[in-house]
Amino acid sequence: MKKRHFETLAVRGGAEVDPETGALVPPLHLSTTFERDPDGGYRRDFSYSRSDNPNRRALERLIAELEGGEEAAAFASGSAAAGAVFRSLRPGDHALAPREMYHGIRSLLLQALIPWGLDLTFVEMTDLTEVRAALRPETRLIWAETPSNPRLGITDLAALADLAGEVGAVVACDNTWTPPPLQPAFELGAGLVVHATTKYLAGHSDLIGGVVVAPRGGTELFERIRFLQRNEGAVPAPFDCWLTMRGIRTLPYRIRAQQEGASAIAHFLAGHSRVERVNYPGLPDHLGHDVARRQMTGFGAMLSFEVAGGEEAALGVAARAELITRATSLGGIETLIEHRASIEGPESPTPDNLLRLSVGLEHPDDLIADLEQALA
Ligand SMILES: *Cc1c(COP(=O)(O)O)cnc(C)c1O
């Protein structure tokens, strides 16, 4: 049969009609443990829910299918997924990470993984000359996040994968901001794809979760990630897997509408006299616009902007928002605004007049009206 479209996979993937009951929606399997066969085997394939669970397995299949990967390992958070990726290396192994990245993972690297033994170099990942200079024969992993958080810098993934290939390193791409089908990271050469499912995949701001996806054919690192998942057990509960799957059913339509709103807002902000700068890869004057156009199928629904008048002015804009909610996180159906520098702490490289927007599903005109009054 012809390869199915992404919308169809999102609605139909990961689950069949329940053979026992005819239920269309997968039953929730809360059982910790599963019956063993008289001969001691497990012919039904499940033994203990830390190792595997029907709801988790269905979610993993669905996400692997959407990313065009072989298999996936679901975790209790995006951060746990990222931690497992780095700890699939050996202490002493060398890795690269972007200077601008999700601050929670940067903290994990600095405060847990480097002390654990990871040999890490931070680089400006959008500058491939700097990446090349930092690579060593023993580099095993390059962590990429594009667009980056919170200034939406664009890294050329295909070129990065070529560089990685020269030393036999794997590119792990944090695709949280670019849920399928926005950035086909495996086609661009990534060796692992990571998501905080907390964000767009679940999409309703009601759970915490993460996932690591392996490319077709699998990789040695993924085997170790799977081992850590099953043996440490930082896994999502069955109901969270169930909710994430329900969220994914509408992902293509959510992301399409959300990015339409983001584009309208970016253009509105770009023309506003109190806005000094808008970071959105869909704007033609964005530094990464051409690469983004090549490697993304859409520009996403995240953007940030810098307010004239510094930190105080930026905080004032956020304070005056009435419809848009001041809160961290992203990817949900409600639009959120956040002053990043104050949540990232004193070492944050984020400009103190920057506000980040996660554009939701409200009507764009209502969101623009709210920003207009907040900027007045
Ligand atoms: C939120 C986020 C994470 C971490 O996910 P949690 O589920 O909060 O642990 C990782 N990467 C990016 C880009 C994120 O936005």
Side-chain angles (χ1 to χ4, degrees):
M1 195 178 4
K2 200 160 154 267
K3 188 178 179 301
R4 288 193 169 147
H5 291 90
F6 180 77
E7 289 79 355
T8 308
L9 293 180
V11 171
R12 295 289 183 166
E16 292 89 46
V17 170
D18 181 41
E20 202 86 354
T21 61
L24 268 66
V25 173
L28 184 58
H29 292 277
L30 296 176
S31 191
T32 307
T33 190
F34 298 83
E35 188 187 36
R36 226 166 146 172
D37 302 332
D39 66 1
Y42 280 106
R43 118 191 100 76
R44 287 164 292 198
D45 216 26
F46 293 99
S47 60
Y48 186 58
S49 266
R50 168 158 52 68
S51 301
D52 205 355
N53 166 282
N55 295 103
R56 199 166 89 215
R57 186 183 288 189
L59 173 66
E60 289 173 344
R61 281 192 180 152
L62 176 58
I63 295 176
E65 212 176 333
L66 292 176
E67 278 292 2
E70 174 94 18
E71 56 177 322
F75 286 85
S77 71
S79 302
V85 169
F86 285 103
R87 285 183 303 112
S88 71
L89 305 176
R90 314 268 172 190
D93 279 349
H94 182 243
L96 302 183
R99 213 166 277 138
E100 173 164 299
M101 68 188 299
Y102 173 68
H103 79 117
I105 295 179
R106 187 177 59 224
S107 299
L108 262 183
L109 289 166
L110 290 170
Q111 294 176 48
L113 292 158
I114 292 171
W116 167 81
L118 183 69
D119 183 1
L120 188 79
T121 310
F122 285 104
V123 294
E124 176 49 58
M125 202 63 80
T126 59
D127 177 355
L128 294 174
T129 314
E130 191 178 326
V131 174
R132 180 186 283 281
L135 279 176
R136 302 184 202 153
E138 68 273 18
T139 307
R140 295 218 49 212
L141 184 83
I142 303 179
W143 185 268
E145 186 187 304
T146 177
S148 65
N149 187 358
R151 277 182 288 184
L152 294 106
I154 302 292
T155 296
D156 184 335
L157 284 173
L160 186 70
D162 284 346
L163 281 182
E166 287 175 20
V167 296
V170 166
V171 172
C173 183
D174 184 341
N175 246 357
T176 299
W177 283 28
T178 49
L182 285 190
Q183 188 159 264
F186 287 134
E187 286 175 26
L188 296 161
L192 291 169
V193 168
V194 180
H195 282 279
T197 53
T198 311
K199 313 291 173 51
Y200 287 102
L201 295 185
H204 293 73
S205 310
D206 53 10
L207 62 86
I208 300 284
V211 71
V212 182
V213 191
R216 294 231 163 84
T219 63
E220 186 197 328
L221 286 183
F222 187 82
E223 295 309 308
R224 294 173 52 77
I225 291 163
R226 177 70 84 191
F227 174 86
L228 291 171
Q229 178 212 28
R230 291 189 163 152
N231 289 276
E232 291 183 331
V235 290
F239 187 49
D240 285 353
C241 296
W242 189 96
L243 278 174
T244 305
M245 258 180 89
R246 180 162 82 167
I248 289 172
R249 300 304 187 204
T250 55
L251 174 66
Y253 293 95
R254 280 189 283 115
I255 198 68
R256 210 175 286 162
Q258 284 173 255
Q259 83 181 352
E260 206 174 288
S263 174
I265 290 170
H267 283 94
F268 160 76
L269 290 170
H272 198 287
S273 61
R274 290 204 57 208
V275 175
E276 282 179 350
R277 182 190 171 87
V278 181
N279 303 306
Y280 184 64
L283 293 175
D285 64 351
H286 185 282
L287 264 183
H289 178 70
D290 290 337
V291 176
R293 233 181 33 199
R294 232 176 21 241
Q295 72 185 9
M296 300 168 77
T297 64
F299 298 110
M302 294 299 299
L303 63 102
S304 62
F305 62 103
E306 295 169 33
V307 182
E311 177 167 24
E312 209 176 315
L315 286 168
V317 171
R320 284 189 294 276
E322 289 167 0
L323 171 63
I324 301 173
T325 309
R326 286 176 302 281
T328 195
S329 199
L330 59 104
I333 55 173
E334 55 290 286
T335 299
L336 305 180
I337 192 164
E338 189 180 32
H339 182 253
R340 285 300 293 175
S342 50
I343 197 164
E344 291 179 356
E347 274 132 63
S348 158
T350 299
D352 61 7
N353 65 338
L354 179 141
L355 294 171
R356 191 184 77 182
L357 276 178
S358 168
V359 178
L361 279 176
E362 303 90 341
H363 197 288
D365 291 351
D366 295 335
L367 296 169
I368 288 172
D370 193 28
L371 287 167
E372 196 156 30
Q373 66 78 24
L375 280 162

